Amino acid sequence: MRDQLTDALYGLGWSTVKKLPEPVAQRLGTTIADAVWKRRGKGVLRLESNLARVVPDASPERLAQLSRAGMRSYLRYWMESFRLPSWSRERIRDGVDVEGQHHLTDGLAAGKGVIVALPHLGNWDLAGAWVTTKLEIPFTTVAERLKPETLFDRFVAYRESLGMEVLPHTGGAAFGTLARRLRAGGLICLVADRDLSASGVEVKFFGDSARMPAGPAMLAQHTGAALLPVTLWYDGTPVMKGRIHPPVDVPETGTRAEKTSVMTQALADAFATGIADHPEDWHMLQRLWLADLEPRPGGPAAGEPS
């Protein structure tokens, strides 16, 4: 019943919110965000706890302000995402302003493919739609399997409607397809700031240990593709801002595991730069740092699902 309700609510969002005038949708998002923030539920408290690591000198009052702004940013993401399928090409093209675009175009021109890695910052779906619409570059991404299956199907159909190829994240089976896309000179985009699996790479993130996916660094080594960190943020205008950071180099020496560790740490450092500059736009409402994960009886630590 819970799965069916969740699916129905998402369906209502995509069918109803996209029909609202944009100012009405914005006000609705702000109203919902403020109501959720005032309830001080588990997600809001976790967001505040995460922000306390990002801004360690913040007072309780400042953390409360950041978490409230964070929930408004998070609901802006959802309002935009529900409405994206109805946006015109012009609205999508004009809705994002990205610096460092040459890193992407130069990487693709080299013919070895490009891997874009992003944190849960800003609206990565809007950024993807901008890539396929403004830059006219198709790309492949990976989606976590959601329950119920009908909800996963909704997300896949939604992202495919924006011009993305979506692969299910199932037991690493997507790796081979992603590698083939890169060897053909293509682009792949991966959200890569949280990985609680056994294959996650341990990194230092805002002074403490966390795990992030090994996939971006391993794909870069495996295919020769350029690995580009990207950070996104809102600045109070209708236009989302973004930065494509310089490529993460593959170390010249070391084992594959050692190279993967160094490259994943470089990604984490780039993500931390963007998150520190715009903490209110980091939509991390789950446990991330290893010290925060709940121990699993008879096994390693485990966190909440993404």
Side-chain angles (χ1 to χ4, degrees), residues 34-296:
D34 287 350
V36 172
W37 179 79
K38 288 177 182 177
R39 287 178 55 194
R40 309 288 294 163
K42 184 171 65 174
V44 172
L45 294 177
R46 176 51 52 192
L47 174 63
E48 219 162 89
S49 175
N50 290 338
L51 289 171
R53 291 181 180 270
V54 175
V55 191
D57 58 348
S59 66
E61 293 77 14
R62 174 60 176 153
L63 282 176
Q65 291 172 353
L66 281 174
S67 67
R68 184 176 188 178
M71 291 308 299
R72 288 185 172 189
S73 175
Y74 185 48
L75 263 294
R76 175 173 171 173
Y77 160 79
W78 279 111
M79 292 297 111
E80 287 179 344
S81 295
F82 286 142
R83 290 176 51 77
L84 263 176
S86 67
W87 281 13
S88 67
R89 294 178 65 84
E90 290 75 20
R91 177 69 178 86
I92 293 173
R93 287 199 297 261
D94 296 340
V96 184
D97 182 19
V98 177
E99 60 184 70
Q101 294 180 39
H102 65 281
H103 294 305
L104 175 58
T105 54
D106 290 350
L108 291 172
K112 295 184 178 181
V114 171
I115 306 156
V116 163
L118 311 90
H120 287 81
L121 195 64
N123 189 334
W124 44 97
D125 286 329
L126 174 55
W130 177 82
V131 168
T132 60
T133 303
K134 174 71 178 290
L135 303 184
E136 298 184 337
I137 300 171
F139 69 89
T140 303
T141 189
V142 173
E144 180 183 1
R145 280 205 173 275
L146 303 171
K147 292 182 179 180
E149 190 74 15
T150 51
L151 179 57
F152 174 74
D153 292 341
R154 285 187 191 274
F155 270 97
V156 170
Y158 156 64
R159 288 176 171 146
E160 287 179 342
S161 76
L162 301 176
M164 312 175 193
E165 179 189 23
V166 183
L167 306 176
H169 186 281
T170 307
F175 189 92
T177 302
L178 295 174
R180 288 193 293 275
R181 299 292 184 269
L182 292 170
R183 290 196 187 97
L187 171 66
I188 68 169
C189 300
L190 303 170
V191 179
D193 58 343
R194 184 172 183 264
D195 189 333
L196 304 180
S197 71
S199 61
V201 176
E202 188 168 324
V203 297
K204 285 296 181 183
F205 196 54
F206 291 102
D208 210 344
S209 296
R211 278 198 294 267
M212 294 188 180
M218 292 177 64
L219 282 165
Q221 295 175 64
H222 201 62
T223 66
L227 175 55
L228 303 178
V230 171
T231 51
L232 307 167
W233 66 93
Y234 297 122
D235 66 353
T237 72
V239 179
M240 184 177 70
K241 304 301 190 294
R243 179 188 176 197
I244 301 175
H245 297 249
V248 172
D249 293 328
V250 178
E252 295 183 359
T253 60
T255 64
R256 176 168 291 184
E258 289 168 343
K259 292 178 180 180
T260 299
S261 178
V262 170
M263 295 172 73
T264 306
Q265 183 64 60
L267 280 181
D269 293 342
F271 294 166
T273 297
I275 293 166
D277 288 343
H278 307 280
E280 67 279 6
D281 292 322
W282 189 39
H283 306 150
M284 186 55 66
L285 280 69
Q286 300 87 19
R287 299 173 189 270
L288 175 70
W289 282 273
L290 301 187
D292 294 338
L293 302 185
E294 297 175 343
R296 188 167 58 200

Side-chain angles (χ1 to χ4, degrees), residues 6-20 28 78-79 81-85 154:
T6 299
D7 183 42
L9 288 173
Y10 279 105
L12 182 64
W14 270 301
S15 64
T16 302
V17 173
K18 71 178 181 181
K19 298 177 183 178
L20 297 175
L28 177 62
W78 279 111
M79 292 297 111
S81 295
F82 286 142
R83 290 176 51 77
L84 263 176
R154 285 187 191 274

